[in-house]
Amino acid sequence: MIAPKGPTPEIPPATPTERTGPQPAFRYRQLAAEIERRILDGTYAPGERLPSVRGLHRQTTLSISTVYQAYMELAATGFVEARPKSGYFVLPVSLRDFKPPVFRKRSSAPQRVDLAPVVNSVVAAMSDPRLVPLGNTAADPSLLPVKALGRILKALSHEDMRALLSYSPSEGFPGLRRQVAIRTLGVIAGVEPEDVVITNGCTEAVALSLLAVTRAGDTVAVETPTNFTFLQLLKELGLLVAEIATDPRDGVDLDELETALRGGRIKACLLMPNFQNPLGALMPEEKKRALVELVGRYEVPVVEDDISAQLHFGETRPAPLKAYDRDDRVLTCSSFSKTLAPGLRLGWVIPGRRHRGRVQRLKAGTSISTSTLDQYLVARFLETGAYERHLRALRNALKRQVFAAALEIRKYFPESTRLAVPQGGSLLWVELPKGVDGLDVYQRAFDRDISIIPGVVCSNSKRFTRYIQVSCAAPFRRRIRDAVRALGGIVSELAGTRRARNAFAKGRS
């Protein structure tokens, strides 16, 4: 855990209650979450002194150690600061004034995928090391367990290396399949290692799943806006898309989806219920259950991208759609790209027994297998138990980065800017003031060596021209802060230009 800056107040001696045994970890996290909510909704004002550790101990009957740990958690995530001999004070992190982007119910009939012309430029900018990476959704290397992975590699003998340079089974290295299956305990019932197919990243998992349940010319229901790489994939597979309106807070609109399903042309759905890309939307659990029941009535399979579920800011991992699937209609895809090692390109699919044989045959027939060495490396890391500790640190870091970027946007973008602040992941979906084109912002930012993603590439109907996506996957250091402020200046300048044009036009009339 990251300690607060400056000297830390002395930890009071343990009370007799505390000596009898440790407090469950969830108690301090629950307390921290409650204080965080009160900070965000303005109950505790910026600069206000929080109750003392002993005072809150008496008020809540929680142990002194629990209260102290809660304050340490809040300090680590940037909500409070410790001042020597004075206590804990709220930092200026109120997000209550943000309004989410407007949700417009406007789904579309099935169409061929027509990618925005700028998409190739956007893809190239995402990985350009010269640019400030506000368009790169992969976690910064400084947030990844580089040393731990390096130690595993260094420990390999020549004999180990010879074995690992051979092909692994097409469905995956047994040790990694086992580790993935273990991590579904309490999340998806009944998953065994043989139910897991290892893939080259989440994109291959999604591609194999779509190939298993559709044919070229079929129509797939997708959220709008959606991950623009999905549109690229659907185009290459020769599939049509029906865009379904999606809310920035709770995901795809089920009424709109049912209307599309009722038409009879939808052969599959491609959805991201947990921290959707690009909105960051988190579908409520009851809505997930209702969605699975809905597609079951129409006997339509769902390909689920669950890649960001582990990046939750709350206490618990949100469940995938597969958790509510009783008829093997959901094929759940994920990877370690957002949490552990983007460059290793290790993903997996849990297709269910209905589709498992087909997915395994497609994997063998397309890419044969996935790198044995990479799979071994990650499997060994998972076996050490260090992955869970790494995830906790990564989630804290992303939470700090997302909130820091959101606050800078509130401060430096025009007042009419709208923003969806997510409950997990690393993405911010920004609605720009009227008349400001996201492509103009993208181009001017690129000219200043800043990469972002214009909203127009996130829809087949090109409707999100007044939006941009900002990634918060890199530590919020000076370079990132200055880039966000520069974006605010660009948007303000474009908004001012529009107002000037309108005033000039009114003057002439």
Side-chain angles (χ1 to χ4, degrees), residues 160-233:
D160 292 331
M161 282 299 298
R162 278 196 294 270
L164 295 172
L165 293 178
S166 301
Y167 284 121
S168 64
S170 61
E171 60 269 21
F173 180 69
L176 185 57
R177 297 174 78 197
R178 177 175 173 271
Q179 289 298 320
V180 171
I182 286 172
R183 279 159 180 77
T184 65
L185 184 65
V187 179
I188 307 173
V191 176
E192 304 294 336
E194 57 266 28
D195 297 319
V196 178
V197 178
I198 302 299
T199 60
N200 296 301
C202 191
T203 300
E204 186 184 42
V206 171
L208 294 175
S209 299
L210 288 170
L211 285 168
V213 299
T214 64
R215 297 181 299 175
D218 283 348
T219 298
V220 177
V222 300
E223 296 154 306
T224 187
T226 190
N227 183 344
F228 73 90
T229 61
F230 284 172
L231 297 176
Q232 293 176 295
L233 175 60

Side-chain angles (χ1 to χ4, degrees), residues 379-398:
R380 285 288 298 120
F381 180 76
L382 296 176
E383 288 168 6
T384 67
Y387 185 52
E388 282 67 32
R389 294 193 298 274
H390 161 67
L391 281 176
R392 286 194 293 272
L394 179 61
R395 286 193 287 261
N396 274 340
L398 291 179

Side-chain angles (χ1 to χ4, degrees), residues 437-502:
D437 192 316
L439 266 179
D440 290 340
V441 178
Y442 166 79
Q443 187 57 59
R444 294 195 185 198
F446 184 86
D447 292 341
R448 299 190 192 185
D449 295 331
I450 302 168
S451 77
I452 58 170
I453 295 178
V456 69
V457 304
C458 299
S459 168
N460 192 49
S461 54
K462 316 298 184 294
R463 67 182 65 172
F464 297 101
T465 57
R466 197 156 55 85
Y467 297 80
I468 59 173
Q469 176 186 300
V470 175
S471 171
C472 307
F476 201 79
R477 301 189 180 114
R478 182 174 179 175
R479 183 174 183 236
I480 300 295
R481 184 192 66 222
D482 290 348
V484 174
R485 292 179 179 181
L487 278 180
I490 291 168
V491 174
S492 297
E493 181 182 345
L494 289 170
T497 301
R498 175 184 174 271
R499 284 195 298 271
R501 282 200 304 265
N502 289 346

Side-chain angles (χ1 to χ4, degrees), residues 269-402:
C269 301
L270 175 54
L271 305 173
M272 195 172 184
N274 294 325
F275 314 123
Q276 192 256 12
N277 182 347
L279 294 175
L282 174 61
M283 188 178 291
E285 297 305 311
E286 282 307 309
K287 189 172 180 179
K288 292 175 187 173
R289 192 190 307 274
L291 190 155
V292 173
E293 292 174 356
L294 173 62
V295 296
R297 290 201 300 273
Y298 290 91
E299 299 183 345
V300 172
V302 176
V303 178
E304 169 187 30
D305 180 345
D306 198 42
I307 194 171
S308 295
Q310 293 279 15
L311 302 179
H312 54 90
F313 298 159
E315 281 297 295
T316 56
R317 178 205 194 283
L321 296 176
K322 188 72 176 170
Y324 303 106
D325 181 24
R326 301 294 176 263
D327 301 315
D328 265 353
R329 298 201 184 278
V330 179
L331 300 87
T332 294
C333 306
S334 191
S335 86
F336 295 106
S337 296
K338 295 291 187 284
T339 60
L340 184 60
L344 293 183
R345 305 302 302 136
L346 284 181
W348 66 89
V349 54
I350 302 173
R353 288 165 176 78
R354 182 195 295 260
H355 302 293
R356 186 174 68 189
R358 173 72 170 149
V359 169
Q360 289 178 342
R361 291 192 299 274
L362 286 164
K363 171 64 181 177
T366 52
S367 59
I368 302 177
S369 69
T370 300
S371 166
T372 308
L373 177 59
D374 293 349
Q375 292 184 75
Y376 173 84
L377 172 62
V378 171
R380 285 288 298 120
F381 180 76
L382 296 176
E383 288 168 6
T384 67
Y387 185 52
E388 282 67 32
R389 294 193 298 274
H390 161 67
L391 281 176
R392 286 194 293 272
L394 179 61
R395 286 193 287 261
N396 274 340
L398 291 179
K399 186 176 182 179
R400 288 194 301 271
Q401 290 160 201
V402 166

